[in-house]
Amino acid sequence: MAEDYIIADIGLAQYGRTELDIAETEMPGLMATREEYGAEKPLKGARIAGCLHMTIQTAALIETLTELGAEVRWASCNIYSTQDHAAAAMAKAGIPVFAKKGETLEEYWEYVDKIFQWGDEPCNMILDDGGDATMYIIWGARVEEGESLPAPQNEEEEAFQKVLQQRLKESPGFFKKTRDAIRGVSEETTTGVHRLYDLAKKGKLPFPAINVNDSVTKSKFDNKYGCKESLVDGIRRGTDVMMAGKVAVVAGYGDVGKGSAASLRGAGARVIVTEIDPICALQAAMDGFSVMTMEEAVKHGDIFVTSTGNKDVITVDHMREMKDMAIVGNIGHFDNEIQVNGLRNLEHVEVKPQVDMYTFPDGHRILLLSQGRLLNLGNATGHPSFVMSASFTNQVLAQIELWKNHGEYENQVYVLPKHLDEKVAKLHLDKLNVHLTELSDEQASYINVPKEGPYKTDAYRY
Ligand code: NAI
């Protein structure tokens, strides 16, 4: 039988396995989940289509899901984020994985299509990061029901529609059958969660969803502390630039922006923040950052990073005003935060993969990282294992919940209950030698919380 995977190089499998062994020592939440649920196999029967950066940490997630009884097929959710040795280790272990660092946009959508190719028994769960896999099935089913696709706006949408049309032609009814078999989706990131809430609001979400991003132990850790480590890592591996003393501009002061600004400050850069939200702008100012508009900041910055989840945050006009050799990158989910398409006609040199230099007609140059795609995964290896353990423990709990109790959920977006959020945090304390204070009975009743938690109301913001 032909191999059921598409990866760069199976010869990298041993390297991937060794790094995976190391990662496991830093992922106490995931390992505890294996210990707790391994024998019971709560995911038996689950056929999970997974679309999330194919990194070493994700390999640990995949092996946790399979140890809990699931079958999975996997693709990356970004063309640059795959770690080829991680993909190789998974392929070698018999996981159908479709992911190569630097895959084309068309390959990207073909690989998304492949995670849904389960033969006669369709896939019945989605684990998504950014919402592409979910949208693929939902759009396919809508077209099968007579809706037309909007005209593609860019290369990405062209590739999406080409692959979708091909599948519609080859396998009539495929999307409706898959959609109807799906018990639920667990979504990893802010941008994907926005897409799900939008669908739910319009009454177009066809299955229940768990918003993993808004577990406190996800967004207040991965988005923040993860980016705090991986943002500067990406800029350094991409450019080797001296950061101390430079002026860095971070667009957006949400969770990712907070981590990114701290990352740059930690490297000695002087950091400017841009924001649209007065609360986040005030937070940035009171954390000691200058806050101004991009129009003002563009004259000062040596390094620019977008972290908004919004589009057109750095425009071609902004880049036209930048200093010679300004570094421009994005850490938000999609590449449209920077108007990359507007650079296409400029003189261009690929310095190395994921680092491109563009020259404007007046002679000034900019260095663009990862073609505007998330640079911490494109230019470096994403977040460290420890913080991904917290994120992925939430993912596993969400998958178990949706798989076992889907009947109790409507086609809405849910977050995991607080006691599970606290449980995820607790699983990560020992590794850091954190000793938790225990409430006395009197104290618990004085502040009116159960001794064993939950310790905060849902309104608490951390
Ligand atoms: P968030 O919603 O907490 O923060 C985004 C911030 O950007 C908000 O405060 C918003 O007011 C601000 N903003 C929106 N438009 C703006 C504009 N035009 N100019 C300046 N500020 C603007 O979202 P979060 O969790 O920080 O995520 C941001 C993006 O990063 C999302 O696309 C998310 O999916 C992605 N992400 C990337 C990760 C990575 O490893 N690269 C990890 C986690 C999330």
Side-chain angles (χ1 to χ4, degrees):
M1 199 187 110
E3 283 146 350
D4 195 13
Y5 60 76
I6 301 174
I7 59 163
D9 181 1
I10 193 72
L12 297 172
Q14 186 51 53
Y15 171 32
R17 177 56 58 185
T18 308
E19 286 225 323
L20 181 50
D21 289 344
I22 296 169
E24 287 181 357
T25 68
E26 283 281 314
M27 303 187 88
L30 274 190
M31 301 315 279
T33 315
R34 290 186 198 180
E35 185 103 343
E36 183 173 347
Y37 299 103
E40 184 198 328
K41 307 276 179 235
L43 290 174
K44 194 165 181 327
R47 290 185 294 278
I48 303 172
C51 184
L52 192 154
H53 313 289
M54 185 57 255
T55 63
I56 290 292
Q57 293 70 33
T58 301
L61 167 64
I62 290 173
E63 293 202 330
T64 306
L65 295 168
T66 54
E67 196 160 322
L68 269 51
E71 288 176 85
V72 310
R73 295 176 70 80
W74 214 270
S76 222
C77 61
N78 186 281
I79 61 172
Y80 294 138
S81 64
T82 296
Q83 291 165 16
D84 288 323
H85 61 316
M90 290 299 90
K92 182 94 182 182
I95 302 293
V97 50
F98 309 91
K100 289 189 292 189
K101 189 174 180 78
E103 63 205 27
T104 64
L105 283 172
E106 201 170 318
E107 284 169 335
Y108 172 77
W109 285 106
E110 282 165 10
Y111 301 166
V112 170
D113 178 75
K114 282 195 179 298
I115 63 174
F116 291 106
Q117 302 309 319
W118 288 79
D120 293 339
E121 296 274 12
C123 125
N124 50 30
M125 295 290 291
I126 301 179
L127 191 157
D128 212 352
D129 183 344
D132 278 353
T134 308
M135 296 311 281
Y136 184 68
I137 291 303
I138 291 178
W139 263 113
R142 277 159 67 170
V143 175
E144 283 173 346
E145 284 169 345
E147 223 176 298
S148 355
L149 287 163
Q153 299 297 312
N154 50 42
E155 279 174 302
E156 178 114 20
E157 288 175 16
E158 271 167 32
F160 164 74
Q161 294 200 9
K162 186 171 171 195
V163 172
L164 189 94
Q165 298 288 6
Q166 184 73 21
R167 176 58 57 205
L168 286 161
K169 206 159 75 191
E170 270 177 28
S171 320
F174 164 79
F175 288 102
K176 278 198 283 181
K177 184 175 169 192
T178 305
R179 178 196 62 191
D180 295 344
I182 288 170
R183 291 191 180 182
V185 55
S186 60
E187 168 56 53
E188 174 81 0
T189 199
T190 317
T191 287
V193 160
H194 286 163
R195 295 170 105 179
L196 291 173
Y197 281 116
D198 188 48
L199 283 167
K201 205 166 85 193
K202 294 175 179 152
K204 290 188 170 175
L205 185 64
F207 31 69
I210 291 187
N211 162 1
V212 167
N213 183 68
D214 287 300
S215 287
V216 179
T217 47
K218 200 284 183 180
S219 49
K220 298 292 170 189
F221 289 83
D222 163 328
N223 304 26
K224 184 179 169 188
Y225 300 108
C227 292
K228 192 171 172 189
E229 307 229 350
S230 65
L231 173 72
V232 156
D233 187 16
I235 298 172
R236 283 200 204 287
R237 293 202 210 189
T239 67
D240 299 309
V241 77
M242 177 84 184
M243 275 188 227
K246 292 286 183 340
V247 174
V249 179
V250 175
Y253 202 66
D255 292 320
V256 170
K258 288 179 175 75
S260 299
S263 185
L264 290 157
R265 173 182 273 170
R270 291 170 290 157
V271 182
I272 297 171
V273 168
T274 75
E275 250 298 343
I276 52 148
D277 177 337
I279 296 176
C280 299
L282 187 59
Q283 283 182 312
M286 294 183 71
D287 284 339
F289 299 107
S290 303
V291 184
M292 58 182 83
T293 64
M294 188 59 78
E295 286 67 33
E296 296 169 277
V298 88
K299 303 181 196 80
H300 305 288
D302 301 292
I303 300 166
F304 293 83
V305 179
T306 51
S307 71
T308 67
N310 204 344
K311 64 174 191 171
D312 301 329
V313 174
I314 293 182
T315 62
V316 179
D317 284 341
H318 290 140
M319 291 186 271
R320 209 172 272 131
E321 298 296 311
M322 286 176 185
K323 292 183 192 172
D324 186 36
M325 293 307 286
I327 295 165
V328 181
N330 164 48
I331 194 164
H333 191 77
F334 284 124
D335 59 339
N336 57 354
E337 301 212 18
I338 302 169
Q339 285 182 346
V340 175
N341 282 334
L343 303 176
R344 299 273 181 250
N345 295 327
L346 297 181
E347 191 188 316
H348 159 244
V349 178
E350 184 187 65
V351 182
K352 61 181 179 180
Q354 285 85 57
V355 182
D356 293 87
M357 185 163 67
Y358 290 90
T359 306
F360 282 79
D362 70 355
H364 90 276
R365 297 157 293 177
I366 62 157
L367 280 180
L368 179 69
L369 300 178
S370 288
Q371 285 293 324
R373 295 171 198 279
L374 19 77
L375 75 91
N376 60 330
L377 283 137
N379 295 88
T381 50
H383 299 345
S385 301
F386 187 75
V387 85
M388 293 316 295
S389 174
S391 302
F392 289 164
T393 305
N394 281 291
Q395 277 287 4
V396 173
L397 295 174
Q399 286 285 320
I400 295 174
E401 183 59 23
L402 284 171
W403 174 247
K404 287 180 56 166
N405 300 322
H406 61 105
E408 294 170 20
Y409 291 90
E410 293 178 14
N411 294 347
Q412 296 294 337
V413 187
Y414 298 87
V415 289
L416 286 172
K418 182 137 329 252
H419 74 272
L420 291 181
D421 219 347
E422 290 180 355
K423 172 175 171 169
V424 172
K426 209 167 187 177
L427 292 174
H428 291 86
L429 297 182
D430 271 359
K431 175 82 189 172
L432 303 181
N433 199 21
V434 170
H435 300 169
L436 207 55
T437 301
E438 218 179 287
L439 280 173
S440 68
D441 291 334
E442 293 74 21
Q443 287 176 318
S445 86
Y446 185 68
I447 61 169
N448 201 19
V449 298
K451 246 182 115 175
E452 305 305 324
Y455 300 102
K456 300 286 194 293
T457 64
D458 287 338
Y460 189 79
R461 292 191 175 87
Y462 298 87

